Amino acid sequence: MNKPLISFEFFPPQTPEGVEKLTAVRKQLAVLNPEFFSVTFGAGGSTQDRTMETIRLIHAEGHHAAPHLSCVGSTRDNIRALLLAYKELGINRIVALRGDLPSGMHSIGEFQYANELVSFIRAQTGEHFHIEVAAYPEFHPQARTAHDDLINFKRKVSAGANSAITQYFYNADAYFRFVEDSRKLSITAPIVPGIMPIMKFSQLARFSDMCGAEIPRWMRKTLEGYGDNTESVQAFGLDVVTQLCEKLIAGGAPGLHFYTLNQAGASLEIVKRLGYQ
Ligand code: FAD
């Protein structure tokens, strides 16, 4: 079986120690020859400079770097300036998102949805960037209906997105169904599953409540049962997530995008167990 394309996502560190730690994490993950490392962007621009700086470091190390860019709360001028700065730096892949308005921020700015950002990137920079967008196999929490969400996904691809990365999920069937339904709507872009390794149950439960990703009951009950026993949580997580990845690849997923939370261990171990190291 061919090795699937693998990519890793980081958040921009806040402290010099965080920067140092992430450099070490990248070094560990680089041996897997990833397609790219991506760096998140705090909606409303809260991490704008730190995202750019992290991208600069990754690029300087000779890796492919993909900044995330979320448009909510922003202006055309600001997004244009960021696109040009990234272009000048030699970056050619962007993850284009709407983002969620941070609490306390009231103006959505000049873009309402991610499809508008994708159109804007194409209008400003032509085909320079490979554009990734977000996709939701278990559907975005604000979508009126599942079908509406698929139509909105199609809108982003029609606006010029090249491929998609999904929200994480633990139910492979949701992904396969989503891909099948997308193909029925003539969406041909690759849809790469987002993979969330399990490191801490309380953290995972919090994320999942926020983003609408389901932790299946059998998993939730098992993880709850482990309480503070981190070793058991992580051992269970590695088994479950490795099996999920195996199923996804066997079923035709074009790659795996790991939400690393700036840690190398779990992602490395999963890729090793998959036999891709
Ligand atoms: P959209 O595609 O705009 O969709 C948002 C909602 O609006 C959906 O319910 C959709 O169905 C609906 N919708 C879309 N278009 C229309 C329309 N024209 N009319 C009516 N309804 C519409 N957030 C960050 O802040 N920073 C990050 O770095 C970041 N990285 C992410 C990476 C990945 C791979 C993923 C999956 C998510 C990421 N997020 C990030 C979270 C993301 O910003 C949120 O999930 C956000 O709520 C939606 O962003 P979107 O780009 O999917 O929005």
Side-chain angles (χ1 to χ4, degrees):
M1 198 190 296
N2 282 342
K3 182 182 167 209
L5 298 179
I6 288 176
S7 51
F8 298 105
E9 179 172 316
F10 305 128
F11 58 84
Q14 297 206 28
T15 61
E17 297 75 49
V19 171
E20 209 173 293
K21 195 187 143 228
L22 186 57
T23 305
V25 164
R26 264 197 314 274
K27 215 172 196 175
Q28 283 181 278
L29 294 174
V31 300
L32 301 173
N33 213 1
E35 183 72 357
F36 61 91
F37 289 124
S38 82
V39 183
T40 61
F41 182 95
S46 57
T47 70
Q48 187 165 303
D49 294 344
R50 284 189 282 122
T51 298
M52 172 82 72
E53 190 45 35
T54 311
I55 287 291
R56 207 190 296 279
L57 288 173
I58 296 172
H59 183 67
E61 289 166 356
H63 306 303
H64 292 294
H68 293 209
L69 188 53
S70 59
C71 58
V72 75
S74 193
T75 62
R76 287 183 184 79
D77 284 350
N78 189 41
I79 298 284
R80 187 183 298 111
L82 281 169
L83 292 172
L84 296 181
Y86 283 130
K87 196 174 166 192
E88 218 156 87
L89 195 61
I91 301 302
N92 55 17
R93 186 188 287 261
I94 276 193
V95 185
L97 304 141
R98 182 196 70 177
D100 295 303
L101 208 58
S103 56
M105 198 166 162
H106 300 298
S107 163
I108 61 159
E110 294 179 358
F111 298 89
Q112 196 169 3
Y113 295 111
N115 66 291
E116 296 163 29
L117 175 62
V118 175
S119 299
F120 185 75
I121 297 173
R122 286 283 173 246
Q124 294 297 314
T125 57
E127 294 302 310
H128 176 81
F129 290 106
H130 176 110
I131 304 179
E132 307 269 1
V133 288
Y136 300 86
E138 295 178 325
F139 306 108
H140 186 268
Q142 289 161 2
R144 234 173 20 104
T145 64
H147 185 69
D148 274 7
D149 211 28
L150 271 164
I151 298 296
N152 289 326
F153 174 47
K154 184 176 169 72
R155 204 175 271 137
K156 293 193 277 197
V157 177
S158 304
N162 302 94
S163 47
I165 302 171
T166 75
Q167 183 58 276
Y168 69 87
F169 55 87
Y170 295 104
N171 178 352
D173 288 340
Y175 169 80
F176 291 128
R177 180 71 194 215
F178 183 82
V179 173
E180 197 181 311
D181 287 348
S182 298
R183 301 303 177 231
K184 282 186 194 150
L185 289 173
S186 306
I187 301 170
T188 56
I191 302 172
V192 174
I195 305 297
M196 179 71 92
I198 300 171
M199 291 180 267
K200 229 182 186 178
F201 175 60
S202 56
Q203 186 187 43
L204 181 72
R206 192 160 33 87
F207 285 164
S208 302
D209 287 346
M210 276 188 309
C211 70
E214 187 181 58
I215 306 174
R217 180 180 162 83
W218 67 274
M219 282 179 60
R220 190 180 273 274
K221 290 300 256 185
T222 307
L223 287 163
E224 274 170 0
Y226 292 137
D228 294 333
N229 185 340
T230 312
E231 217 172 282
S232 299
V233 168
Q234 293 182 353
F236 174 76
L238 285 173
D239 282 349
V240 168
V241 177
T242 305
Q243 279 166 17
L244 171 68
C245 292
E246 279 168 349
K247 221 183 215 181
L248 293 169
I249 296 299
L256 300 169
H257 177 81
F258 286 88
Y259 296 105
T260 68
L261 304 181
N262 289 9
Q263 300 195 34
S267 305
L268 262 179
E269 178 62 23
I270 292 166
V271 176
K272 202 167 107 188
R273 289 187 186 191
L274 289 170
Y276 300 138
Q277 196 178 6

